Amino acid sequence: MKLYAKLAVLTAFATALTAFTACSSDDSSSKADGKGDSSVSSSMDDSKQDGDNTQGGDLNMDGYELVWEDNFDGDKLNRDDWNVELHEPGWVNAEWQEYVDSEDNIFIEDGKLVIRPIKTTDADGNDYYTSGRVSTQNKQDFTYGVFEARLKVPEGTGYLPAFWLMATDENVYGQWPRCGEIDIMEVHGSEPTTTYATLHYGNPHAQSQGSKKLDSGSFADEFHTFTVEWNPGKINWFVDGYLVHTENDWYSATEGQGELTYPAPFDQPFYMILNLAVGGSWVGYPDETTDFENARYEIDYVKVYQKDSYNEDVKKPEKEVTFREPDENGNFIVNGDFSVAEDLSDDENWMYHEEQGGKAELSIKDNQIDVIVATTGNVDYSVQLVQPMLPMRKGNIYEVSFDAYSSGERTMLVGVSAPDLNFIRYMNDTLCELTTEKQTYKYQFTMAMDDDPNGRLEFNMGKVITTEDIFISNVSVKVVGVDETLVGDDSKTVLADGNYIYNGKFQEGEKHIGFWDITNDCGAEYSVTDFADSRKLSVSGNGITADKPFIISQSDLALGEGAYVFSADIEGEAGKTVNVSVGDESFDITLEDGKKTYTHKLSLTADTSKTFAVKFSDAGSYKIDNVSLTEDSLLKNGSFNAGLAGFEPYAYTASDVSWVVDSLTEDNAIDFTINNSGPEAWHIQLKQNGIRLENGQSYRLSFDAKSSVDRKIMFAIQRDGSKHNDDWTPYSGEEIVDLTGEYQHFELEFTMEQPTDSECVFSLSMGAVGGIRVSNQHRICIDNITLETIDSVTADTAE
């Protein structure tokens, strides 16, 4: 069992979250531009195209040259270009298929690659599904270009064919969604007339999505050409040469750290994936109508075109942000008293959505909105009333208030979401018990995230047994207080990875040198190298001297009393000296040949200065990267006194969980509120990367934990599978323990029997541990995580 699955290839997670954009929101923030809403008819036959992609009138191929193609003219899949991926059922998104390497599922026929889903039934009547997934990772990887495939998809409930791009090395900027993802084509088998084009990025996860619905025919009836044009700072999607979506505004970041330099993460090599999923939370599951005998995902060709060169000196578009003002009563809801009749299909004020079988009639009269329910559908947002553009300011305490009743006893969910951040919850979905008597409902929540002008109040009335009608009035959202601890503190802290130095990898800010102060009285040339050279700071100058050094520095750091470890990769002429100062301590590094990682341990006093500097005093050329200053400990910030520094919470589905370091009631413990554990143990985690375990050394891992409901959690220190071909070997073993309502102390002793590993992961899993899914809301609190050696053993420290 994996404690931490490889996120870079979680297409189903991506598509499941896409579903919320496609199904929950029709506001302009998640739509393509106006041109993307036009219809397209295709009369293309099944013959191969010659690469002229301008027939639709929108895709301009001037300057592009074909650099790679596969026309599938052989009798077998070319394994020099393609990998066949193997994954078990349920690997992502609760999908039913196993991805296998079988010529029954993946084969070449009549000059086409065919991916075929197969259903088998055993003697006990249990159904089993297999399918195929192929990729070009580490075989055909490209940065920028035109990526095109001519495809025909299968029709049938539960099928999800896809053609998409993923970052070759997800560790460059961080795992999904920070590494980025470009979905060129996704078609629901139950709705084969519509294709989705989606960009995933950020942290929190954000996305941009367009779609194309055919005027006639379907993507299952005949072949169509799907294309993405990826340039620095702009990505365009096309169907049969017609533009369907475009995007130039994205970001990548790690919580607690700076934003990466635009156009990251879409400035690194990506690879292509073709797969056919069977079932999942977005597309639903096969039923008695699903045809397995004739279902085929057919790929006529895949081609890649590139220009000779690309200009990466692009600027992120500046976006004008407007925060809605409240009315004279402090209410941010427009028409909250329903005094004005509205067309609920408009993109203003109140909006109504139906999805996945939901059906209702809505009308505004007598200062209330009547929701006359016919069917409640399959998901809570199948019948949904929302108002977007609610200004959410960090630190504000909001009160949501409304009156409601129903024609008979029933429930509904109310919450405040972030449609631009993949519908994470600012106010968790809250169950409202409705009766035939009108009642006033009031709920408060604190906005703990950064300012957002587009919060969204949601009334979700789907997925209940009864179809009783609902009547809502007097809706308001008001600011009722401020949490001063969340407002106005811009001082530097320890970063989420435990580093006290900002932008130590030279990936952030303008020209990749954000947060650094440069002293260059010597007139040296300096810049950050391109992606191929791993974004190092390069410095070169014959005028660099002791009197006129070249210095990079940072100030106002969160330094204090304690033991620290400095580390950096530096390359320069052997014998040259580089000086490093940390607080009131200073030391010299004498360079050796080639790139080396230099480390130095030091201790600081409580009254130390808050500065850091690296000084080059000898003429010559240098490169420096991976600058870090961390606590001198095996596991960092286990007391959570520095907030989440060093730790990374993870949620497979963002709306299932929220977390905070609780300094008021839990003495700086991390406090998780879990709405649903999900179906897998690793769907909710707390983890810390970069832990070093030495061969032959014994360790004691311990922590305190409690839960508001009796349940299990699992923990381990393991290999980082994202860097080792999805191998998540638990060096400590996997330990499952039972939590109760009182804090308990847990310990695990183990010996590192594998070769020394400096990139281990501590992972504590709070999903469906032991296969037990916890669907009711509950809290888990964790504190005092420590890792210590318990004896001294001669170790083989080879990396």
Side-chain angles (χ1 to χ4, degrees):
M1 178 182 296
K2 295 177 185 174
L3 292 178
Y4 181 61
K6 183 177 181 183
L7 301 183
V9 288
L10 290 181
T11 179
F13 176 36
T15 51
L17 294 174
T18 299
F20 284 93
T21 297
C23 301
S24 294
S25 173
D26 286 330
D27 59 52
S28 59
S29 65
S30 63
K31 289 295 183 184
D33 58 16
K35 195 168 188 178
D37 291 333
S38 62
S39 299
V40 56
S41 298
S42 173
S43 58
M44 298 175 66
D45 61 23
D46 288 352
S47 62
K48 284 188 182 290
Q49 302 302 301
D50 61 7
D52 178 9
N53 301 309
T54 60
Q55 68 268 17
D58 281 338
L59 178 57
N60 183 350
M61 295 296 291
D62 290 348
Y64 283 103
E65 297 290 338
L66 181 68
V67 295
W68 179 84
E69 65 180 325
D70 194 339
N71 291 290
F72 306 110
D73 291 330
D75 56 0
K76 290 182 180 293
L77 183 70
N78 183 355
R79 302 291 179 118
D80 291 336
D81 287 336
W82 297 96
N83 309 295
V84 175
E85 297 187 13
L86 308 178
H87 300 290
E88 297 179 354
W91 173 59
V92 289
N93 198 34
E95 295 171 3
W96 283 357
Q97 84 289 329
E98 177 185 2
Y99 284 125
V100 297
D101 186 354
S102 168
E103 292 188 358
D104 293 331
N105 298 94
I106 304 170
F107 54 91
I108 305 295
E109 183 178 275
D110 297 331
K112 299 176 182 64
L113 170 64
V114 180
I115 300 178
R116 179 171 171 251
I118 297 176
K119 173 184 176 181
T120 58
T121 305
D122 64 20
D124 296 325
N126 300 311
D127 295 330
Y128 196 81
Y129 304 86
T130 57
S131 188
R133 173 178 168 129
V134 299
S135 74
T136 65
Q137 186 177 21
N138 296 317
K139 294 182 177 179
Q140 296 295 340
D141 308 277
F142 302 92
T143 305
Y144 310 124
V146 169
F147 300 78
E148 177 181 282
R150 187 166 179 263
L151 313 167
K152 185 166 72 170
V153 304
E155 181 173 2
T157 300
Y159 291 142
L160 181 62
F163 170 42
W164 52 298
L165 308 180
M166 201 62 173
T168 300
D169 183 358
E170 71 216 61
N171 296 298
V172 172
Y173 296 131
Q175 294 178 334
W176 195 93
R178 287 169 285 176
C179 62
E181 175 182 331
I182 305 172
D183 296 332
I184 305 171
M185 180 281 296
E186 292 176 295
V187 173
H188 290 208
S190 58
E191 191 183 1
T193 60
T194 300
T195 181
Y196 296 95
T198 312
L199 192 72
H200 297 275
Y201 55 90
N203 189 21
H205 173 223
Q207 63 187 35
S208 171
Q209 185 181 78
S211 63
K212 173 58 61 182
K213 184 179 178 66
L214 294 174
D215 264 352
S216 61
S218 82
F219 296 113
D221 291 339
E222 55 190 1
F223 282 84
H224 291 263
T225 303
F226 300 87
T227 309
V228 71
E229 181 185 27
W230 167 27
N231 286 304
K234 190 171 186 179
I235 302 176
N236 300 313
W237 287 258
F238 303 85
V239 175
D240 297 330
Y242 286 87
L243 182 69
V244 299
H245 187 46
T246 188
E247 186 57 80
N248 66 352
D249 188 5
W250 58 75
Y251 70 95
S252 184
T254 297
E255 290 183 56
Q257 298 179 215
E259 184 172 321
L260 297 174
T261 304
Y262 183 81
F266 301 106
D267 62 349
Q268 60 177 316
F270 275 60
Y271 65 97
M272 292 166 282
I273 306 172
L274 295 159
N275 69 286
L276 173 58
V278 180
S281 58
W282 183 26
V283 295
Y285 296 90
D287 57 22
E288 65 279 359
T289 68
T290 305
D291 179 7
F292 281 89
E293 291 298 322
N294 302 300
R296 295 157 59 99
Y297 178 22
E298 299 184 57
I299 301 95
D300 189 13
Y301 65 74
V302 181
K303 298 182 180 183
V304 180
Y305 302 82
Q306 287 186 316
K307 297 179 179 179
D308 289 339
S309 62
Y310 291 90
N311 176 20
E312 291 187 291
D313 187 17
V314 293
K315 299 287 186 182
K316 185 175 181 178
E318 294 185 5
K319 184 165 53 177
E320 184 176 346
V321 177
T322 302
F323 284 79
R324 178 192 292 178
E325 295 295 329
D327 65 16
E328 63 274 12
N329 298 313
N331 188 4
F332 288 101
I333 296 293
V334 178
N335 196 26
D337 60 359
F338 298 105
S339 59
V340 178
E342 293 187 35
D343 179 356
L344 297 176
S345 64
D346 287 346
D347 285 341
E348 296 181 3
N349 304 333
W350 291 108
M351 297 156 53
Y352 171 64
H353 306 295
E354 292 176 350
E355 299 293 342
Q356 297 195 34
K359 196 72 177 176
E361 295 291 334
L362 277 72
S363 61
I364 294 176
K365 58 185 179 183
D366 300 327
N367 293 103
Q368 73 177 21
I369 187 165
D370 299 352
V371 185
I372 309 303
V373 180
T375 58
T376 59
N378 301 319
V379 290
D380 54 32
Y381 54 87
S382 287
V383 178
Q384 183 186 62
L385 178 68
V386 305
Q387 184 162 140
M389 302 308 297
L390 296 181
M392 297 283 105
R393 298 276 193 180
K394 185 176 183 177
N396 279 354
I397 302 171
Y398 293 88
E399 181 177 83
V400 175
S401 176
F402 58 92
D403 296 339
Y405 66 99
S406 56
S407 58
E409 291 187 357
R410 61 157 295 165
T411 61
M412 73 173 177
L413 292 174
V414 60
V416 177
S417 69
D420 296 337
L421 296 175
N422 207 63
F423 298 91
I424 61 175
R425 263 35 192 176
Y426 297 142
M427 172 183 150
N428 286 331
D429 290 338
T430 304
L431 189 69
C432 304
E433 303 279 353
L434 303 180
T435 68
T436 56
E437 183 176 339
K438 180 186 289 188
Q439 301 177 68
T440 298
Y441 299 83
K442 293 185 177 182
Y443 307 101
Q444 290 188 5
F445 68 97
T446 300
M447 177 62 176
M449 299 186 67
D450 291 337
D451 293 356
D452 182 358
N454 188 26
R456 190 171 85 158
L457 177 65
E458 297 182 4
F459 294 99
N460 291 306
M461 298 166 276
K463 200 181 178 180
V464 293
I465 297 175
T466 179
T467 58
E468 300 292 346
D469 304 328
I470 294 177
F471 310 93
I472 301 171
S473 58
N474 297 322
V475 183
S476 71
V477 175
K478 298 180 179 181
V479 176
V480 295
V482 176
D483 184 344
E484 298 292 347
T485 65
L486 296 172
V487 179
D489 185 4
D490 294 327
S491 59
K492 292 179 180 177
T493 63
V494 188
L495 298 177
D497 61 356
N499 197 354
Y500 285 77
I501 305 301
Y502 283 60
N503 191 25
K505 294 179 181 293
F506 299 100
Q507 295 179 337
E508 303 168 22
E510 186 174 357
K511 298 187 181 299
H512 301 92
I513 53 174
F515 299 105
W516 289 101
D517 296 319
I518 306 294
T519 302
N520 187 23
D521 296 334
C522 56
E525 295 182 356
Y526 69 94
S527 63
V528 175
T529 60
D530 59 20
F531 184 89
D533 197 22
S534 302
R535 303 285 190 214
K536 303 177 180 71
L537 176 63
S538 176
V539 181
S540 180
N542 293 324
I544 302 175
T545 66
D547 292 333
K548 291 185 177 181
F550 182 90
I551 304 172
I552 60 172
S553 61
Q554 296 187 16
S555 58
D556 300 320
L557 300 177
L559 301 178
E561 183 177 11
Y564 297 86
V565 179
F566 161 82
S567 177
D569 297 339
I570 308 176
E571 51 187 305
E573 183 181 337
K576 296 289 178 76
T577 299
V578 176
N579 177 263
V580 179
S581 62
V582 180
D584 295 332
E585 297 294 317
S586 178
F587 54 91
D588 290 333
I589 296 172
T590 301
L591 300 184
E592 301 176 20
D593 284 328
K595 185 185 80 170
K596 300 287 185 182
T597 299
Y598 299 91
T599 61
H600 183 86
K601 293 188 176 184
L602 63 146
S603 295
L604 299 178
T605 60
D607 59 351
T608 187
S609 69
K610 311 297 183 183
T611 59
F612 171 86
V614 178
K615 180 167 62 176
F616 302 89
S617 300
D618 295 327
S621 298
Y622 306 87
K623 289 182 180 179
I624 184 170
D625 194 12
N626 296 319
V627 183
S628 73
L629 183 69
T630 60
E631 293 178 22
D632 187 10
S633 60
L634 293 174
L635 188 147
K636 299 172 178 62
N637 189 33
S639 66
F640 298 100
N641 289 337
L644 280 171
F647 287 95
E648 182 180 351
Y650 166 71
Y652 180 74
T653 302
S655 60
D656 280 350
V657 62
S658 61
W659 51 81
V660 65
V661 174
D662 190 341
S663 60
L664 298 178
T665 62
E666 296 297 339
D667 191 25
N668 284 345
I670 186 168
D671 187 345
F672 287 85
T673 298
I674 299 173
N675 300 316
N676 191 318
S677 70
E680 301 291 341
W682 54 269
H683 278 193
I684 299 172
Q685 294 179 76
L686 176 69
K687 67 187 187 75
Q688 183 170 128
N689 297 325
I691 295 173
R692 179 183 175 88
L693 296 181
E694 295 190 355
N695 170 256
Q697 179 67 58
S698 295
Y699 298 90
R700 180 183 297 113
L701 173 65
S702 65
F703 62 92
D704 301 329
K706 68 177 182 179
S707 172
S708 60
V709 300
D710 291 351
R711 59 154 298 167
K712 298 178 184 295
I713 62 172
M714 179 169 64
F715 62 96
I717 297 181
Q718 61 192 125
R719 178 175 289 143
D720 187 345
S722 68
K723 300 177 181 179
H724 295 281
N725 297 317
D726 214 22
D727 178 0
W728 299 88
T729 298
Y731 297 135
S732 64
E734 296 173 346
E735 189 80 1
I736 296 178
V737 296
D738 293 298
L739 300 188
T740 66
E742 300 295 330
Y743 272 114
Q744 299 178 76
H745 184 71
F746 301 99
E747 291 187 357
L748 172 63
E749 295 184 359
F750 66 97
T751 299
M752 178 61 169
E753 297 178 350
Q754 301 281 343
T756 295
D757 188 343
S758 297
E759 299 179 324
C760 305
V761 178
F762 164 76
S763 177
L764 192 151
S765 297
M766 296 166 280
V769 175
I772 302 172
R773 186 167 185 164
V774 184
S775 299
N776 55 314
Q777 187 181 89
H778 61 287
R779 293 171 57 209
I780 293 179
C781 297
I782 304 160
D783 201 1
N784 301 320
I785 306 174
T786 62
L787 177 66
E788 56 189 343
T789 59
I790 56 177
D791 57 16
S792 180
V793 179
T794 301
D796 169 17
T797 58
E799 299 290 344

